[in-house]
Every structure is written in C-alpha cells, then in structure tokens.
Amino acid sequence: MKMKKLTLCMAALCSGYASIASAAISDDVVKIGVLTDVSGTYAGNVGPGSILATRIAVEAFGGKVLGKPIEVITADHLNKADVGSAKARQWLDRENVDVITELGNSAVALSVMNLAKDKNKMTIVTGAGASRITGKDCSPTNLMWVYDTYALAKVGTVPLVQDGAKKWYFLTADYSFGHALESDGQRFIKESGGQVIGSTRYPFPGNDFSSFLLTAQQSQADAVAFASAGADLQNEIKQANEFGLTASQKIVAMLMSITDVHGVGLQAAQGMNFAETFYWNMDDETRQFSSRFYKEMKKMPTALQAGQYSAVLNYLRAVEKANSDEVSDVIDALKNMKIHDAFARNASLREDGKLIHDVYLVSVKKPEESTKPWDYYNIEKTVAGVDAFNPLSESECPLIKGSK
C-alpha cells in the first residue's frame, strides 16, 4: 500500500515537472515592445501613458509568466512609418521581441504589422484606428484592440443625424487615419438620412486652422466634423470657439479623448458628443485601474491607454493559458478565453483579429455639472460591440473570406 502511494506521488511530481518543462517560452523571457508616439501630436493620448499602462499590466500579472521574466522595451516612432518599421525590424531581428504593441499611428501600424507577419511575430494595435487594419490588410498575427474608424463614426454620427444635424462639413487630417474617419463618417451620415456638403483636408500635423474653419463656417452646415486627433483636435476646438462656430454649428469630434477635453477645458468642449471606449469614472473596476494610473501620471487614462493595459494583461493571460509564447498558440488562446478587465466589457476576439466590445456615446459636461477633477463625461448610451463594429458579412479581411 505504501509503495502504491509512493508511486502515485512520484507520478504526480513527474507530471508537474513535465508541465514546467513543456512550457515553450522563447529565450526564457517574454519581451514586449511598446512602439508609440512619445514626443509628437498623439503623445498625450498614448505615449508615456501607454508605456505606464503596459507596466501596470505586467505588475498586475505578477511580473512573471510561466516562471519566466517579463521585459518591456519602448521606442518613439515619431509618427513616421519608416522610423517605426526600422525600429520594429531591429527588435524582431536582433532583440527577440515577442510582441509589438500600441502602434498609435495607422500608417506605422500597417507597416509594422505587415513586417511582423512576414517574420511570424505578433502585433497588437491599441492606438491606431484605420478600419483596413482588420479589413483588407488584416494579418493572422495581428490583433486590433481598442477601436476602429467604423465604430467611432457609427456611434458618433448616427444619433446626431437622427436628432436633426442633417448637413455636415468635414475638416480632415490628410493621412490614412483621417481619411478613414471621414470615409466611414460620410457613409453613416448618408445612410441615416443626412448629407455631406463639403470637406477640406489639411496637411498633418496642423497649427493654424483659421482658413479651413472659415470655409466650414461659410458652408452653413449643421455640423462640422473634425476627423483628426490629439493636439490638432485641441487646436481646432479652441480656434472654432474663437471664430464663433460653436454659436451656430455643432462641433463634432470623430475621435476625442479625456485628455483632449482636459486640454481645451469644459467651457470650450461642453456639449460635444463623440464615441468613447472607456471612461475612468464608470464603475469600481475603471476607478481602480485609473487610480493606479493617476498616482504616477497625475492625470486620468485615455481609452487608448486603458486599452493598452487590457491588451498586455490579456496577452500575458493567453501565454499562460497556451503554455507558450508561440504566436498561433497565443492567438488561439485569446480567441477561446473570457476577456474582461477595466477596459474590456462584453468582449470577444473575432476571426479578423478585432476585439469586439461595448462602445459608449458620451457628452461633455457643462462646467457647473462637473463635481470633481476629471469629472467630464455623461454616458448617454452604451452600444453593444456587435452593433458598433462592422459585421463580418461586410469584412474585406482575406482571413474571413478564406474561411467561408
């Protein structure tokens, strides 16, 4: 009887050793590369905050996965695709980076994710939003975590058209993300019964928007949509107030973050509606993460920074579940596990690599409605991911077409 018990114990012990031995962690370290805009127009929305969010996720996970250390390295892509690609190539070829994340510029994201695909390495886009990332340019080794221009445009325009804003004018940043925001916005405006009576594209990044704003004002559109982001958007809103557009036309941000509202102030931003994917003061989970973030950054996280936290945390969970950091194993694990955290609600990962989750229509509070610092939003409507994001039946992703 004792011999039988000893045999069973030895078998269990050996099984435990076999499990540890079978863990396939390349180079005995899981290395995460955060390639972001540290110094440019999007630095406030991503940049240092996304780097911090990555470190918070690693900290929350425990600092190791499958007994191996987790290392985070960072770089500034300067909003240039060639700079981003060069850094990504260095990371993948010489520094054994397992996953490149953030990529807060659509041109950079498209360039880096295609490079990573050729090398069978993983990318997770949390800061870029061009729909083609999981559309015609989708990749089997890439995931898109936070938002895309389809969801932003649909949630951010349709309710306003239905409320009476029938004629629209676009002021658009002249690069891939701005083009995608405008294109998707025009589609939903027209489909919901509105019309686009004009548009202007300005060289990105911009500074003086006076001539463009005067043209938009003279169009007599009901709504003027800014298809831009970051510092450009903040300058547009400030100058729109100076020129008096807000007195006669509705100013709509196709993409806006809480740091943009903070930057321009409630007086200038009050009443604006836009689509959001995260708000720090929504519930206990959002407040807990945001409090940890605020402790170091002295500001509340944007949706993109919260999404970066979520993406990294769930990547590590998937490595643990897959018992491997091999790309296909990790992606399979992500597609078959529950995804829920401070950012992701009612979330699931789709075949095209897109995370489907709740999206919110928010309005900016009036100054007198705000009761404490960073108390800026009213959540007007929660839109389920299946209603906010494009259906697979409309997808141009070859991965979807190939599976049918």
Side-chain angles (χ1 to χ4, degrees):
M1 186 68 177
K2 289 182 178 179
M3 181 62 70
K4 184 176 181 181
K5 287 183 178 179
L6 180 61
T7 302
L8 288 172
C9 290
M10 290 297 292
L13 190 60
C14 290
S15 174
Y17 282 135
S19 176
I20 294 171
S22 65
I25 300 299
S26 57
D27 305 303
D28 289 328
V29 62
V30 172
K31 188 174 287 190
I32 301 168
V34 183
L35 190 54
T36 187
D37 176 7
V38 175
S39 56
T41 189
Y42 300 138
N45 289 340
V46 287
S50 288
I51 293 170
L52 172 60
T54 302
R55 299 191 186 281
I56 293 173
V58 172
E59 174 188 292
F61 193 78
K64 290 186 176 182
V65 57
L66 298 173
K68 304 298 183 181
I70 303 164
E71 183 179 344
V72 176
I73 62 175
T74 68
D76 190 345
H77 56 55
L78 303 177
N79 287 305
K80 296 178 180 179
D82 57 342
V83 173
S85 292
K87 177 54 67 174
R89 188 179 299 278
Q90 175 188 327
W91 280 357
L92 298 175
D93 289 347
R94 299 198 291 275
E95 300 188 41
N96 300 315
V97 168
D98 295 295
V99 58
I100 299 177
T101 69
E102 211 288 292
L103 300 169
N105 174 296
S106 292
V108 172
L110 288 162
S111 177
V112 172
M113 60 185 263
N114 287 326
L115 173 66
K117 178 182 68 174
D118 292 341
K119 297 178 179 296
N120 192 36
K121 291 288 188 175
M122 189 169 171
T123 48
I124 308 178
V125 177
T126 63
S131 295
R132 58 187 285 191
I133 290 170
T134 50
K136 62 183 180 181
D137 291 313
C138 69
S139 162
T141 65
N142 179 67
L143 306 178
M144 190 175 192
W145 208 261
V146 177
Y147 67 93
D148 64 13
T149 53
Y150 182 105
L152 292 177
K154 185 176 183 180
V155 176
T157 63
V158 172
L160 303 182
V161 175
Q162 293 172 342
D163 285 345
K166 299 297 184 181
K167 297 189 296 182
W168 289 65
Y169 191 97
F170 275 85
L171 180 54
T172 302
D174 193 9
Y175 74 120
S176 57
F177 179 65
H179 299 170
L181 272 178
E182 179 182 339
S183 176
D184 287 332
Q186 288 204 27
R187 169 189 170 175
F188 292 115
I189 289 166
K190 293 171 183 177
E191 287 183 358
S192 54
Q195 59 176 316
V196 178
I197 62 174
S199 67
T200 298
R201 290 182 174 177
Y202 70 87
F204 169 82
N207 185 31
D208 182 2
F209 299 95
S210 56
S211 62
F212 309 129
L213 291 169
L214 286 172
T215 301
Q217 189 175 44
Q218 292 166 2
S219 74
Q220 297 186 334
D222 300 320
V224 177
F226 295 148
S228 54
D232 281 18
L233 175 64
Q234 292 184 35
N235 285 328
E236 287 166 347
I237 295 171
K238 290 175 183 177
Q239 291 175 33
N241 274 270
E242 292 170 4
F243 281 96
L245 268 73
T246 53
S248 57
Q249 295 167 299
K250 188 166 187 63
I251 306 302
V252 180
M254 299 300 292
L255 170 62
M256 194 166 187
S257 75
I258 197 163
T259 54
D260 295 322
V261 176
H262 188 76
V264 301
L266 289 181
Q267 188 64 43
Q270 62 179 308
M272 293 184 68
N273 290 99
F274 50 93
E276 260 287 21
T277 51
F278 174 84
Y279 180 43
W280 73 270
N281 201 25
M282 190 168 71
D283 57 33
D284 288 342
E285 281 186 285
T286 60
R287 285 188 284 270
Q288 182 177 359
F289 163 70
S290 300
S291 176
R292 170 68 181 84
F293 184 94
Y294 186 87
K295 185 177 179 180
E296 291 192 41
M297 290 298 294
K298 306 305 178 188
K299 67 176 185 176
M300 290 302 177
T302 66
L304 302 180
Q305 292 159 347
Q308 175 71 5
Y309 163 82
S310 171
V312 172
L313 181 63
N314 283 284
Y315 169 79
L316 295 172
R317 288 172 175 170
V319 170
E320 183 176 64
K321 180 178 180 181
N323 213 36
S324 167
D325 62 358
E326 201 281 323
V327 175
S328 61
D329 293 340
V330 174
I331 291 180
D332 285 346
L334 278 164
K335 289 181 177 178
N336 289 284
M337 67 186 232
K338 181 180 179 181
I339 297 175
H340 178 97
D341 51 61
F343 169 83
R345 304 302 168 85
N346 301 307
S348 61
L349 195 61
R350 217 164 59 174
E351 298 166 65
D352 55 359
K354 183 179 296 179
L355 186 72
I356 305 301
H357 54 82
D358 290 349
V359 181
Y360 313 102
L361 177 66
V362 304
S363 62
V364 178
K365 291 183 175 182
K366 297 177 181 178
E368 60 269 25
E369 293 176 324
S370 179
T371 60
K372 54 187 172 183
W374 298 89
D375 176 30
Y376 294 160
Y377 292 171
N378 289 311
I379 296 179
E380 303 291 348
K381 185 177 182 182
T382 298
V383 181
V386 293
D387 296 320
F389 292 93
N390 67 311
L392 285 177
S393 59
E394 295 182 10
S395 176
E396 296 182 278
C397 174
L399 300 176
I400 303 301
K401 293 182 179 180
S403 68
K404 292 180 180 178

